[in-house]
Amino acid sequence: MSHPRFYIARSSICVNAAGETIGDGVFARCNYEPGDFIASRPRPVLASLETERLNDTCANCFVWTQGSGGSRLYVKEGTKVQACGGCKRFRYCSKACQKEAWHRGHKHECKNLRSIGGREVPKAVLGCMELLVRKKHGLISDEDWEMLCSLDAHIEDFKRNGKYGNIELMAMGTSQFSLTQDTFDKDFVAEMYARILANSLTLITPTLDPLGIMIDSTFCHLNHSCEPNACLVMDGPVIRLVALDSINKDEEIYISYIDPTNPSTRRQNELKERWFFDCKCTKCREGPTQKEDVFLVNPEDAPEKCKEYADSLLQRDDSPANDPANYIGDSLDERRLAALQGELFNAYEEQQRTDDLQHAIRICNNAIDLCSSSGLWPERRQPLPALRDDLIVHLLEAQEYDQAWAHCSRQCSNSMLVLYNHYHPIKIVQRWRMAMLAQYLASTNKETVPGVDMAMTAFTLVHEIELVSKRIYGLDSAFSRSVQEKAAEIQGELSKKYVSKEDFTAAFSKHKDLLAGKWPN
Ligand SMILES: C[S@@+](CC[C@H](N)C(=O)[O-])C[C@H]1O[C@@H](n2cnc3c(N)ncnc32)[C@H](O)[C@@H]1O
């Protein structure tokens, strides 16, 4: 494929001494600076919503209508979705969206979907059905189709992990419901279904809420690195590839398929289980010696109380310590740490699963307390930052704003600065959430932090986000526009308080320094 800003060629990641590579990758056609736009695509070739999101998300433009307040101001107030009168499965936010989806291919599957009734259908099946129907009716370009088909389906890996039987079953349903048996044989459909499972990325909102799965026929050639120099962001159906670091002409562009802030063994385990590869990125080649892997003290120097607690965990159930994802080493002290780490990651997963908000808050608080009482856990070591991040979201939902603020300021002065690069979308979203909270706290007229003006804090954060989001999401994106509007609104309020330009500038630079350095906890 020919594109002025990137090209696809053999990856630079070698897998063996003979110089064999991991297949194709995406390369820069020119130099990029951090925050630079590289390329965008109007819509992934495959995008399929989670079952829970089908009820509240437009199946065409992916606007998630729930909770349009809070940090998701880019969703217009009053946005609603209405079910397609035919299939009753997909919902759209406007007639225009419904029409677009209809012509993109829905007209060829609507009736078939209706015949399934209200039965739950996995997102990968719905996505695969749409792909097959569109291909059968000539609605996918040959180039897109070829790119998609060149991806590895990992059939042997699925056979090894025992999931191939289920893939064959799902493929059978996909063929039947899409009425494409006359065009594609069952092995081809199974292969396509497996390809979707093995190569899809998460479909996300601009504020990174997961909506489903997606595959883009060009960006699917981006290889993974645990030290990525680029990332993908989404604004509705539009996908943008942006640089997180400097990238030289002819250098390979990498994104991260997983959370690269996890300790090395967890990353490798996830990549092996979900993506079927042993990561050969520069960071993984160096082994578990990076900042994600270190504890505050060596395992043998852990406080006695912590060792006793870990022993009780090992006695109760030693499977988390034996899980390769938690492997730290073979000595007793290292196994104790693995048990502790297993307990913390289990807590992280449990609070994500539960629908009980107060229970989720309790789990996060207990796990965070365990991290600090262990005397071992640096603020930036996972799952501590991830637990704190989720706790903030839960506390905001529970309207516990003071507590949410306390954790935001811990996050701001600790992990946020070291975990994510300046242009990283996670950092943008965390700061945006903090800004919205600061603005709310300012409106209560309470002194949340002595000597700190919360409205100016909100403005300082929003101003910083405005500069970054223009580059990452694009000037015209719904997210950038909502940030610009918020900045103007807060500036308008503040200009009543700081009447002279000098006063405004002095307060602005004081808060900028606070946010850039040690924020008072
Ligand atoms: C979505 S594809 C990426 C593009 C692919 N290399 C191609 O030829 O089109 C994902 C596959 O690329 C390979 N891969 C990507 N990043 C890798 C890495 N860091 N180390 C080893 N293999 C990797 C794995 O085989 C993985 O299943």
Side-chain angles (χ1 to χ4, degrees):
M1 104 163 295
S2 157
H3 193 281
R5 301 180 65 82
F6 67 84
Y7 58 92
I8 293 169
R10 282 284 105 176
S11 172
S12 35
I13 297 187
C14 281
V15 275
N16 57 23
E20 280 175 43
T21 74
I22 58 168
D24 285 343
V26 179
F27 289 76
R29 224 183 253 288
C30 50
N31 294 337
Y32 294 106
E33 290 302 316
D36 275 356
F37 165 77
I38 301 174
S40 74
R41 300 266 299 163
R43 187 181 184 92
V45 68
L46 172 135
S48 188
L49 294 170
E50 298 284 350
T51 305
E52 306 91 86
R53 294 285 74 79
L54 285 170
N55 290 329
D56 56 20
T57 306
C58 176
N60 185 57
C61 71
F62 308 125
V63 64
W64 180 30
T65 61
Q66 238 190 28
S68 51
S71 56
R72 303 196 319 103
L73 295 173
Y74 51 88
V75 179
K76 275 203 211 94
E77 233 175 281
T79 308
K80 287 199 177 70
V81 285
Q82 254 194 339
C84 164
C87 69
K88 308 236 179 336
R89 187 170 293 266
F90 295 130
R91 285 174 167 71
Y92 302 101
C93 68
S94 65
K95 283 267 166 259
C97 271
Q98 181 163 20
K99 202 167 151 193
E100 217 178 293
W102 185 256
H103 292 297
R104 198 177 40 254
H106 188 58
K107 63 179 168 188
H108 298 294
E109 62 169 7
C110 185
K111 235 201 251 154
N112 318 340
L113 281 169
R114 189 185 186 129
S115 68
I116 308 175
R119 266 179 292 163
E120 197 174 301
V121 182
K123 55 185 181 287
V125 171
L126 286 175
C128 193
M129 275 176 71
E130 190 192 314
L131 265 186
L132 300 181
V133 164
R134 291 181 60 211
K135 176 64 185 161
K136 174 174 167 173
H137 294 278
L139 294 166
I140 289 186
S141 72
D142 289 346
E143 195 182 21
D144 273 358
W145 188 252
E146 269 165 36
M147 289 268 235
L148 200 58
C149 291
S150 72
L151 290 173
D152 194 344
H154 292 277
I155 299 291
E156 291 310 315
D157 290 309
F158 281 118
K159 283 185 178 162
R160 254 194 303 275
N161 75 9
K163 293 192 175 150
Y164 192 67
N166 187 258
I167 288 175
E168 284 186 306
L169 209 67
M170 292 294 152
M172 219 148 71
T174 305
S175 282
Q176 271 169 20
F177 294 136
S178 59
L179 302 182
T180 54
Q181 296 104 314
D182 55 348
T183 317
F184 308 104
D185 71 32
K186 68 178 189 9
D187 289 342
F188 180 85
V189 180
E191 201 177 305
M192 187 53 94
Y193 186 75
R195 194 171 280 127
I196 294 171
L197 293 185
N199 292 284
S200 55
L201 293 171
T202 308
L203 178 74
I204 44 173
T205 65
T207 39
L208 311 179
D209 314 279
L211 297 175
I213 51 167
M214 64 107 168
I215 300 185
D216 178 76
S217 53
T218 300
F219 293 154
C220 64
H221 293 289
L222 285 159
N223 286 310
H224 161 90
S225 168
C226 298
E227 228 166 11
N229 53 14
C231 70
L232 293 175
V233 289
M234 292 197 74
D235 182 31
V238 179
I239 323 171
R240 284 168 66 91
L241 176 65
V242 287
L244 290 173
D245 247 321
S246 303
I247 306 174
N248 293 326
K249 180 174 181 290
D250 296 323
E251 200 180 314
E252 185 163 354
I253 303 172
Y254 299 107
I255 58 167
S256 181
Y257 299 170
I258 55 158
D259 183 348
T261 64
N262 270 331
S264 109
T265 45
R266 285 203 83 86
R267 298 196 311 268
Q268 303 216 2
N269 198 64
E270 194 181 345
L271 289 167
K272 186 83 188 159
E273 296 221 320
R274 156 77 176 83
W275 293 87
F276 305 116
F277 66 83
D278 296 309
C279 185
K280 299 283 191 306
C281 77
T282 42
K283 194 154 133 181
C284 287
R285 277 168 192 248
E286 279 173 36
T289 54
Q290 310 288 307
K291 57 184 189 300
E292 296 80 15
D293 299 305
V294 290
F295 288 98
L296 289 173
V297 295
N298 290 328
E300 56 277 17
D301 300 327
E304 275 315 306
K305 241 175 77 188
C306 168
K307 290 188 182 182
E308 278 167 28
Y309 181 70
D311 286 340
S312 71
L313 292 177
L314 282 169
Q315 266 165 19
R316 199 176 68 203
D317 174 11
D318 66 355
S319 54
N322 295 335
D323 183 342
N326 291 321
Y327 181 79
I328 289 167
D330 297 320
S331 73
L332 175 60
D333 288 321
E334 287 164 331
R335 281 180 53 73
R336 284 171 167 147
L337 251 67
L340 208 59
Q341 173 164 281
E343 172 89 347
L344 290 166
F345 273 102
N346 285 347
Y348 175 69
E349 282 157 19
E350 193 188 339
Q351 60 82 30
Q352 287 209 322
R353 274 193 306 267
T354 178
D355 291 329
D356 178 344
L357 188 57
Q358 291 306 326
H359 183 49
I361 292 176
R362 266 193 310 279
I363 297 175
C364 290
N365 273 325
N366 290 342
I368 291 172
D369 285 349
L370 177 57
C371 288
S372 43
S373 66
S374 75
L376 291 168
W377 232 264
E379 269 289 331
R380 62 158 182 255
R381 190 186 168 100
Q382 294 291 12
L384 178 53
L387 281 160
R388 202 184 294 289
D389 207 40
D390 279 11
L391 178 59
I392 293 169
V393 175
H394 299 322
L395 289 169
L396 289 174
E397 204 182 328
Q399 302 187 356
E400 299 280 1
Y401 298 119
D402 289 332
Q403 280 187 51
W405 181 260
H407 285 284
C408 272
S409 52
R410 283 296 289 271
Q411 186 180 61
C412 177
S413 53
N414 294 314
S415 57
M416 200 198 280
L417 299 175
V418 289
L419 275 184
Y420 303 107
N421 136 326
H422 187 62
Y423 291 97
H424 202 293
I426 293 185
K427 189 163 166 182
I428 299 178
V429 171
Q430 288 178 339
R431 297 224 141 191
W432 178 236
R433 206 163 49 206
M434 188 173 178
M436 296 304 95
L437 178 58
Q439 193 195 18
Y440 167 77
L441 290 169
S443 74
T444 64
N445 290 323
K446 282 193 308 190
E447 192 182 41
T448 309
V449 188
V452 172
D453 177 346
M454 292 307 265
M456 186 50 96
T457 302
F459 177 72
T460 311
L461 285 163
V462 172
H463 179 74
E464 186 193 308
I465 299 160
E466 195 183 356
L467 299 176
V468 179
S469 76
K470 272 186 212 166
R471 305 192 62 197
I472 299 297
Y473 293 93
L475 249 181
D476 268 347
S477 73
F479 179 69
S480 293
R481 278 201 306 270
S482 71
V483 175
Q484 281 162 40
E485 281 162 21
K486 187 50 83 180
E489 177 195 316
I490 307 178
Q491 192 169 16
E493 285 164 18
L494 282 173
S495 62
K496 293 178 204 146
K497 194 187 298 179
Y498 301 97
V499 184
S500 78
K501 202 174 164 208
E502 290 72 28
D503 285 353
F504 188 96
T505 314
F508 177 68
S509 63
K510 172 185 155 184
H511 287 77
K512 207 169 155 191
D513 289 346
L514 278 175
L515 285 162
K518 271 264 169 226
W519 182 260
N521 284 316

